[in-house]
Amino acid sequence: MVVLKISNLTVAYPERIALQNVSFEMKNPALLAVIGPNGAGKTTLLKTMLGLIKPISGTVEILGMNPFKEGAKVRRIIGYVPQRERIDPTMPVLVKDVVLMGRTPKLPLGAWFRTIDLEAAKEALSLVGMENYWDEPYIHLSGGQQQRVLIARALASNPKLLLLDEPFAGVDLTSRSLILDVIRHKVKEGVGAIVVSHNPEPASIADLVLLLNVEVMAFGSKDDVLKPELIQSVYGMPVILGLPNLSGDDHV
């Protein structure tokens, strides 16, 4: 079954068109990098896939399901990591509380967390190298550690598809490398992964690349898409492409 198929998708806000006639397909589990400048519609694309924003026209299919008609089912098979969340520092939230949020869609109505949920959360934390922080306050962690916990939350649900919005922004070298390794590992296990970035560099390690600027500017393998003249035409400036920038500077 095709992991993801988007056909002729158009999404609009009152003041502007966010996505126009967008079409692409992920036939098998793969790492897809969605790149484009700020305002290109990348986050809107993810939210539409989640069924949180309804399009004007077009269709979205995730493992054969329609997120606008089967939203609850779709969200149960998706692990979503939004752009960095700010948790109220006055809230006594522990790392385990954050990760266990990923298990909530799996719970029977009115049930409390079960042994299977605790085990899944601990395993997810272990994957991102944060297993020793189970009882630590979330706000005491560094930015990179917080991002790893948010990814563990997404992994705890045992998703079929991972959606990650700017997962490398503002995180340290160790966390960037570890996050990338985890994503690759999950793809090898048969989980599709979509990484959104305004910086084109992460595309150099992806299986598929979608160059987006409201419309699809290019889609295909990195060799087909990461052409200097094409990238420059979208970003409006020369961009040097190579291995992902591991300095923590995510500005193009």
Side-chain angles (χ1 to χ4, degrees), residues 61-248:
E61 291 182 27
I62 299 175
L63 291 172
M65 291 186 286
N66 182 333
F68 311 112
K69 295 181 178 179
E70 303 169 272
K73 287 184 179 179
V74 169
R75 286 189 283 275
R76 277 198 290 269
I77 64 168
I78 289 179
Y80 177 46
V81 182
Q83 292 189 37
R84 184 70 55 79
E85 293 185 29
R86 305 298 178 189
I87 291 182
D88 187 343
T90 65
M91 293 287 289
V93 178
L94 303 180
V95 166
K96 63 183 177 185
D97 300 322
V98 175
V99 181
L100 282 167
M101 291 177 191
R103 295 296 302 177
T104 302
K106 304 284 188 182
L107 292 175
L109 187 63
W112 188 241
F113 293 114
R114 307 153 296 178
T115 299
I116 189 174
D117 301 309
L118 296 173
E119 290 175 349
K122 289 179 178 179
E123 181 180 351
L125 269 180
S126 179
L127 282 174
V128 299
M130 295 292 291
E131 62 271 25
N132 295 327
Y133 292 82
W134 180 255
D135 287 311
E136 290 293 319
Y138 178 79
I139 61 167
H140 289 179
L141 305 181
S142 69
Q145 289 173 327
Q146 288 184 357
Q147 187 74 326
R148 285 152 65 181
V149 170
L150 294 176
I151 289 172
R153 179 181 66 180
L155 295 175
S157 65
N158 296 320
K160 299 294 185 183
L161 180 64
L162 276 171
L163 306 181
L164 304 103
D165 197 349
E166 300 283 1
F168 305 119
V171 302
D172 57 274
L173 174 65
T174 299
S175 292
R176 284 177 73 102
S177 299
L178 197 149
I179 289 168
L180 181 56
D181 286 345
V182 169
I183 294 171
R184 285 171 167 161
H185 174 71
K186 298 309 291 186
V187 170
K188 287 181 180 178
E189 287 188 342
V191 177
I194 299 178
V195 173
V196 157
S197 176
H198 72 274
N199 187 329
E201 287 179 322
S204 64
I205 48 80
D207 303 309
L208 297 169
V209 180
L210 172 65
L211 181 57
L212 184 68
N213 193 10
V214 181
E215 300 177 279
V216 173
M217 310 307 292
F219 175 72
S221 70
K222 58 189 176 185
D223 292 335
D224 291 334
V225 176
L226 298 183
K227 299 181 182 298
E229 64 278 8
L230 181 57
I231 298 297
Q232 181 171 347
S233 71
V234 172
Y235 282 87
M237 65 180 70
V239 177
I240 298 174
L241 296 171
L243 293 175
N245 176 8
L246 296 179
S247 67

